[in-house]
Amino acid sequence: MVSNLKRLLIGRPLKSTELGEQKLTKTKALAILSSDALSSVAYGPEQILIVLMTIGAVAFWYSIPIAIGVLILLMALILSYRQIIFAYPQGGGAYVVSKENLGIKPGLIAGGSLLVDYILTVAVSVSAGTDAITSAFPALHGYNVLIATLFVIILTILNLRGVTESASVLAYPVYLFVLALFILIGVGLYKIITGDVSPNLATPIGTPVAGLSLFILLKAFASGSSALTGVEAISNAIPNFKEPAPNNAAKTLFAMGTILALLFSGIVCLAYFYGISPREEVTVVSQIAEAIFGRNVIYFFIQGTTALILILAANTGYSAFPLLAVNLANDKFIPRMFTIRGDRLGYSNGIIILGLSSIILIFAFNGQTEHLIPLYAVGVFIPFTLSQTGMMVKWIRERPMGWMPKLAINSLGALISFVVTIVFFLTKFPQVWPVLVFLPIIIFFFYQIKNHYDSIGEQLRIAESIENTPIEGNIIIVPVAGITKVVENSLNYAKSLSPNQIIAVNVSFERDAEKKLEEKWKRWQPDVRLVTLHSHYRSIIQPLTKFIDTIENKAGEANYRVTVIIPQFILKKGWHNVLHNQSSILIRTILLHRKNVIITTVPYRLKK
Amino acid sequence: MVSNLKRLLIGRPLKSTELGEQKLTKTKALAILSSDALSSVAYGPEQILIVLMTIGAVAFWYSIPIAIGVLILLMALILSYRQIIFAYPQGGGAYVVSKENLGIKPGLIAGGSLLVDYILTVAVSVSAGTDAITSAFPALHGYNVLIATLFVIILTILNLRGVTESASVLAYPVYLFVLALFILIGVGLYKIITGDVSPNLATPIGTPVAGLSLFILLKAFASGSSALTGVEAISNAIPNFKEPAPNNAAKTLFAMGTILALLFSGIVCLAYFYGISPREEVTVVSQIAEAIFGRNVIYFFIQGTTALILILAANTGYSAFPLLAVNLANDKFIPRMFTIRGDRLGYSNGIIILGLSSIILIFAFNGQTEHLIPLYAVGVFIPFTLSQTGMMVKWIRERPMGWMPKLAINSLGALISFVVTIVFFLTKFPQVWPVLVFLPIIIFFFYQIKNHYDSIGEQLRIAESIENTPIEGNIIIVPVAGITKVVENSLNYAKSLSPNQIIAVNVSFERDAEKKLEEKWKRWQPDVRLVTLHSHYRSIIQPLTKFIDTIENKAGEANYRVTVIIPQFILKKGWHNVLHNQSSILIRTILLHRKNVIITTVPYRLKK
């Protein structure tokens, strides 16, 4: 039944050879991997205006030069990641690039912060999308956590079904969102050009602003840069692309960069020319849309697709997290289970862990995950900085043809990313300090896990030189509770293995029962020695382990092994298990962990 | 650590031979077994007045004849249970008496309703006591459920420690309560006799009352009879008494009956002479105490011990439930685990199940278990009726010396109990109907369990006539994942059992890895056959079970057994388990339940 439900939700299992068919075309990849980056234009420009408003509306014209700065950073990042795609066609991403060029520690810093960041991506974007929906339908207000959890579950199932299938479902909303914003920007600019909009709305560019400091400008720039989170997703996911993967990935990255640049600058321009101020209850995009269209169908189309893409932005996390986890697991820094492909060839364990972790975050913050946004942005810019510094080192070391312009691009990217990171720490320390606590803890665990795996590998390796002495024989202990078919069955098996070394052991609580059993036993199994252990404290385990100790000591001297044969009832109906004490299971577990014995379970199948 | 905590809470384990020392003296038995019965005088008289008040205060004088009726019933019950004690010195109780004299079904009706009733006893009395406490300390009001749960946990632990120890702790409050009520009644009567109380307060006895029907009188009588719940506890618990148990139990029963009769009639008289009307917010006992003493120290002493005894009344459930469960479990109507004595020689499973069930009830009814009181009273009077009818049958059948008066006593008891039961159904059907639903369900499960145990016993019995054919030999399957020490260890063990019938099986997902392993294997273990199973769907279980099927078919023909040797890592630290897939555990469970194979677990102990 469980298995049928699984089939229904995620579909039939796929053969390993069907892996190729699960790869992404460029159109689908763009939809599935860029939703995070594209969705951030819904709030990035607003972030700039919110910072500038602390000075006054007169400072709003600075959003234009700041946006240009963000675009330069975007360009540097796109060009830089394009270079990473070709340099690391197996799926680069900050972890691999930093590890190879800067060393393991920087790699783990990048990997660790991205790993946590993808969980934050899912929690934050799903919560944001849910907020948008419950704002539209106030009746749903009290149910934010529930709705967000439901969305996470749906995304998890879609991703367990496999990337191509989820891409098909998720592509429409992404392209509809892009279409909606292009209509908005197109019509808006047309109205400005045709003079439909009063030019008095905006402060002219170049107006001197009192009280504006470099600090404020940097803060506005850093806030605007949060629109660039998600840019790295494509370079992590190259293995998911159709062949030739690097070329397809590079083209998709370029397309995403172009769309992102157009949308971002379009929104910033419209906000400036229409004289929009950020307001608590209405988003900037919503204000622009209302100013251009009024509250008609197109307005609601724009709002609807925006809400949808905020939720879908979470999908970037689902594409990137499992692949990053595979890289870390292959290097033994996280549990090996992340490298196993599930029924549908996706890395199911990564997908499930991501879903569960983000649901926990949503519950922990009661759906109010916007407090986590600065943390999330820092978690992106640290690996940005590291990976681009890594690329700088790579160019300087390898000096391939035309390395100078490549170095320049990465250096510019590294510098701006570094500045943004520092500005985040300076301006939003109360929100971002946890990074400084959690990153070291995560990296500590990475090393612990690595050490464990290395030590296990060492212990399991077979040293060719050491002679391996064969086992001389086996002593078989059969715990018996009475004279039944179960005991007969176990004894028959024991006799077939080692007819002369069988000891039946009875742990008894009552003297009368002891004697009766011993007498009956002599008649029934005269060849098998029966040892009776009287238990004063009515415990079965204690006398049994003591007895095994003495047997083990003798056996060890002669290089004999001790095997304990434990019968286990296999009952027809599950609920029948409460009717049997199944002390066999307890005995098995305790002996296996505490004593150096081999445990053989002989099933006894009941027919009724 | 868990074991240390257990020691701290319930004390060191006791030897089976120490059982005698755990038996109860009469003084302790009276305290521990009569708290339920005695506590009911705190609400029994009030129940009578509440019914009479529906007619008017003029009807209150009827409480005197009704109380006489209750006293007659009490006397009949005490005398009847005295006879049961001597007739069933191994612990009679309604279940045993009904089963032996009326048949299994009446026995199960009595046993089933008592079993549920003891759970209700615990829930209801602890909730009532908690109410009394939170009424005194209004700051605790919102915490009723929590406080009640805490009391249940404390009672559970005390009872797990053992009956004598809990008796020592619980005896004081019971005797203090009796003392408090004797002071109340003594001083109250003294004041009446000396004329300190105005004789005008009460309607004279014999005043005609308009509108009073037999139905109302019976209802008042039935309500007053709820003060008699708990009378049967002593006859269930005879095995807990010091020798000579029946004599001691009979004396304790007589003492309890006398105290109960004195307290009950005392309270009824005081209520009548002081002209007390039942009020919503103040209990009748509290009103009497206030009228006699005013709100001084003695008043608070009476109120405090009353609250305490309400909680301790739950202890009667703890004494009786486990013993009844042992009787039912010995007859195989409930799981066998109820017959096992714990570390402290109490029947711990019964105690724990009782505690858990009543906590669940307290949570389910949010601490407002007073709705359950009628249900609880019916659940007592059904077994009362059955056990006394059983005794009637016994006397008629056996006709011992002087059976006629004995028959008369039991017949009177049976008749009155039956009338009370019927009156409960007639007057409180909306509250007591669940009995008619749950009792049949419980009895259905009793029979299901009994059938299961009987069928198992049948299947396990060894038929002497059938020849048992020895096993011819063993085929050993060793699943291997690579060439490691773990595999070497398993193979060595397999070779010591059956050197020529070993098949190593490798389930592989990749063709390259397959070939490499096969080549290495040939050099490493040339004598052991390696079978490679390619898994298209990346499942280990499926190809393995298929392979086992084919081997099993061959083995079955030759009367060979198939053993699968599964290595299991025993890791040094618990958390390391997440780092290993431990697919061995999954494989073991599935093979054991689905295939007819024997599973041998060879532990591989990691040193670091």
Side-chain angles (χ1 to χ4, degrees), chain A residues 342 452-453 493 538 563 579-580, chain B residues 342 453 493 538 563 579-580:
Chain A
H452 172 76
Y453 279 129
Y493 180 68
R538 299 165 311 287
T563 302
L579 303 181
H580 299 274
Chain B
Y453 279 129
Y493 180 67
R538 301 165 307 287
T563 302
L579 303 179
H580 299 274

Side-chain angles (χ1 to χ4, degrees), chain A residues 293-316:
Chain A
F293 298 108
R295 284 202 170 238
N296 66 5
V297 176
I298 300 179
Y299 169 80
F300 286 107
F301 175 60
I302 292 169
Q303 287 300 95
T305 53
T306 307
L308 214 52
I309 199 149
L310 281 171
I311 291 173
L312 294 189
N315 203 62
T316 304

